[in-house]
Amino acid sequence: MKTIRSRFALLATAIAGLAGAQAQDPLPSWNDTAPKHAIVAFVGKVTKEGSADFVPPAERIATFDNDGTLWCEKPLPVQIFFILDRVRALAPQHPEWKDREPFASLLKGDLQGSLSGGEPALLEMLAATHAGMTTEEFEKIVKDWIATAKHPATKRLFTGMVYQPMLELLAYLRANGFKTFIVSGGGVEFMRAFAEKTYGIPPEQVVGSSGKLQFEMKDGKPALIKLPALNFNDDKEGKPIGIQTYIGRRPIAAFGNSDGDLQMLQWTGAGSGPRFALYVHHTDAVREFAYDRHDPDQKLDKGLDEAAAKGWTVVNMKDDWKNIFPAAP
Amino acid sequence: MKTIRSRFALLATAIAGLAGAQAQDPLPSWNDTAPKHAIVAFVGKVTKEGSADFVPPAERIATFDNDGTLWCEKPLPVQIFFILDRVRALAPQHPEWKDREPFASLLKGDLQGSLSGGEPALLEMLAATHAGMTTEEFEKIVKDWIATAKHPATKRLFTGMVYQPMLELLAYLRANGFKTFIVSGGGVEFMRAFAEKTYGIPPEQVVGSSGKLQFEMKDGKPALIKLPALNFNDDKEGKPIGIQTYIGRRPIAAFGNSDGDLQMLQWTGAGSGPRFALYVHHTDAVREFAYDRHDPDQKLDKGLDEAAAKGWTVVNMKDDWKNIFPAAP
């Protein structure tokens, strides 16, 4: 009897252990393919005390692009939907927009027409919607908008269009002593309004593009006014510059999805000691979108070549990710 | 016998408890005066869960000026000694400096003469010593210099001229869940080279003035080149702008020592909920330096008035600090 009981106890322990091990898979939405192996191997070696590849926790900086790396950027980056919605919301205060491009087309419902002016058109709408208020007013506008704004195709909240495997990766890195940063071409104050709740990344770990600010007294209280002038463009060569200026330490791991992230991955990869660079390659037209070398807006072309040449990790979304988005609420 | 033993045990426990309580004073270099009481009361209330003044750890941002607040800035801010030493070190590569101010005076040993050109002279020496190399080369130059550079009067290392009470305050705040930042007019890459070792403040929590950077490939490797052009001046109105741009969250506590910190303290103090603003007032000519309203370089004038009007805490160094500098090594 005693022996049977002991055996049963052993078996129960073994089963609990297995269940525990499964429950503890930190990356359950990643298939058991090369990218997951590469991530786990990298984290394992840099956290192993006494090993030649050990990196002290303070130096475990990981930087992530946002659009297309942490959340969906198609059919348009989320911040562009925000700009378009804001133009519509502000139109009653700007009767002159009815006759002025790029506003006129947009207000007639012609989105493509409004964007046909390219970057200058977009910059004009950016200035019209991102300046002329205090930083606190802007934060509230973004928070109110992002709480209800939905993706045009899936009708899910934009904050539900985040990549579940990347949420798991962020949590896994943090659990291993990494400090996770966003380094994105998106507006820093736009992203900070939701990054903490959505990604667990606090405002002070968000690096992005920004407009100039002006300090002034408003009704006897200090205020920061958003001006319609560019302060910093955090894209391409701007990404390593943003990293150096804002973080002041070279990352040991960097994650992107387009040629706009190439310089960040180069800068990260060129440091001494163990380094990790990963591209998310959008290959799943069924579950998400498929685009790369010939995409007019978010091109991944030179990056694919350099990844192959340097041995960087490339996630093939279709094959390497079990789930793309979180389960619907 | 048993009773006596029990009583002795009780007594021993009581004594150990007292000794423990004394050993645990987190601010031993602060006299038992109003500033210490104010700090402890503030930290107590914002960390008390369930109280109306409770602040979640993520929002416990504390910002510190550096020169004159965390370390000594007299007779000149430390970075100016660095500039002067660098001009001397680089002079052999610049024979033209022998005939050109502000370099000529400095190389003849006439420090006052070299600085008599005011800010333009200083900016010219800044550009000559802080640009034209990679960020990594500059970091090494600063680290090598700060490892041996000494204060001209005390002959202590500059990193020994930090304020012991402020080191204790930084540690006390961090032990209570605060994230401590430097927000200083000093050069961000200069400060980052020693802030982690000296103050326990990592590079990504140092906000400062900066020059422009350029990303380029150098011998096939990506490099960031320091350019002789100002990117951001983190002083006065620049301090709240720097806080918003780099940190993205309004501090709940801010610490300064001059009118250059006034806008940071205003911005911090004007937020909702509990706020703490503190000025270090240099009143101790014997142990350190005494200067305030009429100092030509580091004036504390408007700040003293506003501190009185707003009820901010003012440290009278002479009376409120038991020790100024750490014990000599």
Side-chain angles (χ1 to χ4, degrees):
Chain A
M1 186 67 181
K2 202 186 165 208
T3 309
I4 290 169
R5 205 179 265 169
S6 301
R7 280 185 186 165
F8 182 78
L10 261 177
L11 185 66
T13 306
I15 289 168
L18 278 174
Q22 280 184 333
Q24 280 163 23
D25 176 359
L27 302 171
S29 297
W30 292 70
N31 284 323
D32 195 25
T33 49
K36 181 172 180 172
H37 299 169
I39 291 166
V40 172
F42 175 75
V43 171
K45 72 181 179 184
V46 300
T47 55
K48 193 178 173 190
E49 287 195 55
S51 98
D53 288 326
F54 178 75
V55 176
E59 293 167 28
R60 293 182 203 154
I61 303 289
T63 55
F64 291 80
D65 170 56
N66 184 37
D67 296 315
T69 300
L70 295 179
W71 73 357
C72 182
E73 66 182 345
K74 291 290 183 186
L76 291 169
V78 179
Q79 195 172 357
I80 293 187
F81 287 111
F82 171 75
I83 292 170
L84 301 177
D85 280 354
R86 289 303 299 161
V87 167
R88 290 189 200 103
L90 293 168
Q93 297 160 239
H94 294 275
E96 76 279 11
W97 285 356
K98 269 189 304 197
D99 305 310
R100 214 176 97 202
E101 294 296 349
F103 306 101
S105 294
L106 179 67
L107 296 173
K108 281 181 216 136
D110 178 10
L111 174 61
Q112 288 311 317
S114 75
L115 295 174
S116 64
E119 204 170 293
L122 197 59
L123 283 176
E124 193 169 350
M125 289 194 280
L126 189 71
T129 54
H130 283 61
M133 73 283 277
T134 70
T135 51
E136 292 192 321
E137 287 161 354
F138 182 75
E139 183 185 350
K140 188 179 178 318
I141 291 168
V142 178
K143 282 188 167 167
D144 288 348
W145 182 82
I146 200 93
T148 61
K150 289 180 175 160
H151 190 274
T154 66
K155 309 296 179 196
R156 286 188 71 163
L157 289 175
F158 283 117
T159 51
M161 299 295 291
V162 294
Y163 303 134
Q164 177 64 23
M166 297 305 280
L167 295 183
E168 295 166 7
L169 177 57
L170 286 168
Y172 174 57
L173 290 174
R174 290 195 288 258
N176 281 282
F178 280 76
K179 215 165 177 175
T180 54
F181 288 80
I182 288 174
V183 176
S184 164
V188 70
E189 301 202 311
F190 178 77
M191 294 186 287
R192 281 170 173 165
F194 59 84
E196 190 160 35
K197 200 170 158 191
T198 305
Y199 303 125
I201 298 180
E204 63 270 23
Q205 286 164 224
V206 179
V207 179
S209 297
S210 55
K212 289 198 185 298
L213 299 176
Q214 182 172 295
F215 178 87
E216 62 181 52
M217 286 291 167
K218 206 181 163 188
D219 309 325
K221 288 187 75 173
L224 292 170
I225 311 296
K226 288 172 69 65
L227 303 180
L230 184 71
N231 174 53
F232 178 59
N233 183 14
D234 190 36
D235 197 27
K236 299 189 176 74
E237 289 81 4
K239 291 205 174 197
I241 292 172
I243 287 168
Q244 179 67 16
T245 307
Y246 287 71
I247 307 176
R249 181 132 64 181
R250 196 194 294 239
I252 64 165
F255 304 82
N257 80 302
S258 81
D259 284 357
D261 303 310
L262 180 57
Q263 290 83 355
M264 172 168 78
L265 269 59
Q266 288 173 330
W267 176 243
T268 300
S272 59
R275 301 281 151 171
F276 192 81
L278 181 150
Y279 261 129
V280 173
H281 186 188
H282 293 263
T283 52
D284 195 328
V286 176
R287 295 186 299 169
E288 205 236 9
F289 295 88
Y291 56 99
D292 49 30
R293 293 187 189 272
H294 306 295
D295 191 88
D297 302 314
Q298 290 89 22
K299 193 179 286 193
L300 176 59
D301 181 32
K302 286 183 193 164
L304 276 181
D305 295 337
E306 186 133 346
K310 295 248 172 78
W312 295 343
T313 296
V314 177
V315 167
N316 177 331
M317 282 175 76
K318 193 174 172 189
D319 296 334
D320 296 327
W321 282 1
K322 202 172 293 175
N323 309 297
I324 305 247
F325 300 112
Chain B
M1 185 66 182
K2 204 191 165 203
T3 308
I4 290 169
R5 206 178 261 167
S6 301
R7 281 183 186 166
F8 182 76
L10 260 178
L11 186 65
T13 307
I15 289 168
L18 279 173
Q22 281 185 333
Q24 280 164 22
D25 177 359
L27 302 170
S29 296
W30 292 70
N31 284 322
D32 195 25
T33 50
K36 180 172 181 172
H37 298 169
I39 291 166
V40 172
F42 175 76
V43 171
K45 73 181 178 185
V46 300
T47 54
K48 192 177 172 190
E49 287 196 54
S51 99
D53 289 326
F54 178 75
V55 176
E59 293 167 27
R60 291 181 205 154
I61 303 289
T63 55
F64 291 81
D65 170 57
N66 184 38
D67 296 315
T69 299
L70 294 179
W71 74 356
C72 181
E73 65 183 345
K74 292 289 184 185
L76 291 169
V78 178
Q79 196 173 357
I80 294 185
F81 287 111
F82 170 74
I83 292 169
L84 301 176
D85 279 355
R86 288 302 299 162
V87 167
R88 290 189 199 102
L90 293 168
Q93 298 162 238
H94 293 274
E96 76 280 11
W97 285 356
K98 269 191 304 199
D99 306 310
R100 214 175 96 202
E101 294 297 351
F103 307 100
S105 294
L106 179 67
L107 296 173
K108 280 181 216 134
D110 178 10
L111 175 61
Q112 288 310 317
S114 74
L115 294 174
S116 64
E119 205 169 294
L122 197 57
L123 282 177
E124 192 168 352
M125 288 195 280
L126 190 70
T129 55
H130 284 61
M133 73 283 278
T134 70
T135 51
E136 292 193 320
E137 287 162 353
F138 183 75
E139 183 185 351
K140 188 179 179 319
I141 290 167
V142 177
K143 282 188 168 166
D144 287 349
W145 181 83
I146 201 92
T148 61
K150 290 182 175 158
H151 189 274
T154 66
K155 309 296 179 196
R156 287 187 70 162
L157 289 176
F158 284 118
T159 50
M161 299 295 290
V162 294
Y163 302 134
Q164 177 63 25
M166 297 304 281
L167 295 183
E168 294 166 7
L169 177 56
L170 286 169
Y172 174 57
L173 290 174
R174 290 195 287 257
N176 281 282
F178 281 75
K179 213 164 177 176
T180 54
F181 288 79
I182 289 175
V183 176
S184 164
V188 70
E189 301 203 310
F190 179 76
M191 295 186 287
R192 281 170 173 165
F194 59 84
E196 190 160 36
K197 200 171 159 190
T198 305
Y199 303 126
I201 297 181
E204 62 270 23
Q205 287 163 225
V206 178
V207 180
S209 298
S210 55
K212 289 197 186 298
L213 299 176
Q214 182 172 297
F215 178 88
E216 62 182 53
M217 287 290 168
K218 206 181 161 186
D219 308 326
K221 287 187 75 173
L224 292 169
I225 310 296
K226 289 172 68 66
L227 304 181
L230 184 71
N231 173 54
F232 178 58
N233 183 13
D234 191 36
D235 197 27
K236 301 189 176 73
E237 288 82 4
K239 290 205 173 196
I241 291 172
I243 287 170
Q244 179 66 17
T245 307
Y246 285 69
I247 307 176
R249 181 132 63 181
R250 196 193 294 240
I252 65 166
F255 304 83
N257 81 302
S258 81
D259 284 355
D261 302 311
L262 181 57
Q263 290 83 355
M264 172 167 77
L265 270 59
Q266 289 172 329
W267 177 243
T268 301
S272 59
R275 301 281 152 171
F276 192 80
L278 181 149
Y279 260 128
V280 173
H281 187 188
H282 293 263
T283 54
D284 195 328
V286 176
R287 295 186 299 170
E288 205 237 8
F289 295 90
Y291 56 99
D292 48 30
R293 292 187 189 273
H294 305 295
D295 191 88
D297 301 314
Q298 290 89 21
K299 193 178 287 192
L300 176 60
D301 182 30
K302 286 183 193 164
L304 276 181
D305 295 338
E306 187 134 345
K310 294 248 170 81
W312 295 343
T313 297
V314 177
V315 168
N316 177 331
M317 280 175 78
K318 193 174 172 189
D319 297 335
D320 297 326
W321 283 1
K322 203 172 291 174
N323 308 297
I324 306 249
F325 300 112

